[in-house]
Amino acid sequence: MFRLFSSRLPRALYHGKRSGIKLHVALLEASKMPCKVRETTGLHHDSPMMKEFLDSGFILVADRDYFQIKRMDTFVKAETKQPFVIRLKTNVALYRKKSLRRWSSADSNITGDFTCQLGTPQARSESRQRVVEFTDIEGKMMRVVTNIYDIDAEKIASMYQVRWAIEVFFRWIKQHLNVPTLFGTTENAVFNQLYAALLAYILLKTLYEEGSQHHFIKNVSFISFTHQFIEAQLSVEWEFVIQTFMKHYQDLYRRIILKMDNQQA
């Protein structure tokens, strides 16, 4: 969520004198790259946007804003099965708990691993769901629901904890790409600026990952690389890798264009 004064963005009123715009992003865990993005104004609820990101080829990991009991039932059906790990809302009732057999180590952060139905008699899940309870690195109790049974509870917990990467991603966007300062206030101008910020992130992340693969490059964090890139303070080694990488893709682009021209001739 990007919050601004309503005078800057009157078409996206959010709360009182504030306006808000949202980017809903599916981030691939392996590459930390966005693979799908949807934009809305601040008044749109997060939960309905879930349907935009369903893909049975991936495990869907999401925060509690995307939790719905009926949705959990839908995900476990064979014809629409969607693997998921979603945080439970704190007020969700757990009905007829049955512990799962498991081996646990002395240093495990798992405090519960069981199946149950979710909700009250007025609104209760039809299917039994697996719930994993664990403590995070700050000692806070967390509960997630999942339809994955062939992975141990520790791995389920770690899957959810990896979701923190999306928070880091948005923090990076806000801190380094000047998103809160709008260059225009029309709907197109705002969303064009946000997508330009995403493209800048993808380009910088690609250059960083490419350079990090070379043994002669000094190891730096992505944040440090970003600062040095923006301030033109990268080392000679980094400059060499980036120039080589860009020349390779320029040559590749020329060959693709030439091939397309020949096919159309």
Side-chain angles (χ1 to χ4, degrees), residues 1-4 9-16 18-24 38-49 65-66 187 190-191 194:
M1 167 75 79
F2 301 95
R3 296 181 177 87
L4 308 114
L9 202 62
R11 296 176 182 82
L13 293 178
Y14 173 62
H15 181 70
R18 306 289 283 179
S19 293
I21 49 179
K22 292 181 180 179
L23 285 183
H24 305 266
R38 293 291 183 268
E39 71 281 358
T40 65
T41 56
L43 285 177
H44 283 75
H45 293 293
D46 293 340
S47 185
M49 295 302 297
D65 289 340
Y66 295 92
E187 183 175 342
V190 171
F191 288 127
L194 289 175

Side-chain angles (χ1 to χ4, degrees), residues 224-257:
S224 177
F225 168 79
T226 302
H227 283 303
Q228 292 177 40
F229 183 92
I230 293 173
E231 296 171 6
Q233 294 179 350
L234 287 171
S235 66
V236 174
E237 292 81 7
W238 270 107
E239 293 284 0
F240 171 76
V241 168
I242 289 174
Q243 289 176 13
T244 303
F245 180 79
M246 296 302 292
K247 185 177 185 304
H248 168 74
Y249 274 90
Q250 286 175 353
D251 292 341
L252 180 62
Y253 177 74
R254 291 193 190 96
R255 290 198 297 270
I256 292 173
I257 295 299

Side-chain angles (χ1 to χ4, degrees), residues 30-252:
S31 63
K32 303 297 185 294
M33 290 284 196
C35 65
K36 185 177 288 188
V37 180
R38 293 291 183 268
E39 71 281 358
T40 65
T41 56
L43 285 177
H44 283 75
H45 293 293
D46 293 340
S47 185
M49 295 302 297
M50 174 72 81
K51 64 180 182 295
E52 299 283 338
F53 298 94
L54 301 183
D55 188 331
S56 60
F58 295 90
I59 297 175
L60 183 66
V61 182
D63 201 9
R64 56 191 172 189
D65 289 340
Y66 295 92
F67 170 82
Q68 284 184 354
I69 290 177
K70 288 184 178 180
R71 180 176 289 150
M72 304 302 99
D73 278 331
T74 301
F75 284 172
V76 300
K77 293 179 180 178
E79 64 270 19
T80 57
K81 187 158 187 178
Q82 168 67 57
F84 69 88
V85 177
I86 298 177
R87 185 179 175 186
L88 278 174
K89 294 181 178 179
T90 54
N91 61 348
V92 175
L94 307 179
Y95 179 64
R96 297 180 62 188
K97 293 167 58 175
K98 183 178 180 180
S99 294
L100 296 172
R101 292 184 178 181
R102 62 182 304 274
W103 295 98
S104 60
S105 59
D107 59 348
S108 174
N109 65 336
I110 303 300
T111 59
D113 185 10
F114 51 86
T115 64
C116 66
Q117 288 176 273
L118 305 174
T120 62
Q122 293 76 25
R124 179 168 289 159
S125 64
E126 298 175 6
S127 306
R128 294 185 67 83
Q129 310 281 349
R130 183 186 183 186
V131 174
V132 175
E133 296 178 336
F134 61 95
T135 54
D136 65 10
I137 57 176
E138 297 178 348
K140 183 179 179 181
M141 178 63 70
M142 310 286 284
R143 297 190 306 178
V144 296
V145 57
T146 180
N147 59 351
I148 304 171
Y149 286 85
D150 57 350
I151 296 177
D152 62 44
E154 284 78 6
K155 183 63 176 177
I156 296 294
S158 68
M159 283 182 184
Y160 181 77
Q161 290 172 308
V162 166
R163 194 204 65 85
W164 182 250
I166 194 73
E167 307 296 343
V168 175
F169 165 78
F170 276 116
R171 184 184 300 168
W172 189 94
I173 290 287
K174 291 178 180 179
Q175 289 179 349
H176 296 91
L177 297 181
N178 204 28
V179 170
T181 302
L182 295 177
F183 304 137
T185 56
T186 66
E187 183 175 342
N188 280 343
V190 171
F191 288 127
N192 283 343
Q193 182 176 341
L194 289 175
Y195 276 91
L198 287 173
L199 290 172
Y201 171 87
I202 291 171
L203 177 59
L204 286 169
K205 188 69 172 175
T206 301
L207 294 176
Y208 173 75
E209 295 297 335
E210 175 66 22
S212 299
Q213 296 177 14
H214 297 273
H215 67 276
F216 58 85
I217 292 288
K218 183 181 179 181
N219 229 354
V220 297
S221 68
F222 181 48
I223 297 294
S224 177
F225 168 79
T226 302
H227 283 303
Q228 292 177 40
F229 183 92
I230 293 173
E231 296 171 6
Q233 294 179 350
L234 287 171
S235 66
V236 174
E237 292 81 7
W238 270 107
E239 293 284 0
F240 171 76
V241 168
I242 289 174
Q243 289 176 13
T244 303
F245 180 79
M246 296 302 292
K247 185 177 185 304
H248 168 74
Y249 274 90
Q250 286 175 353
D251 292 341
L252 180 62

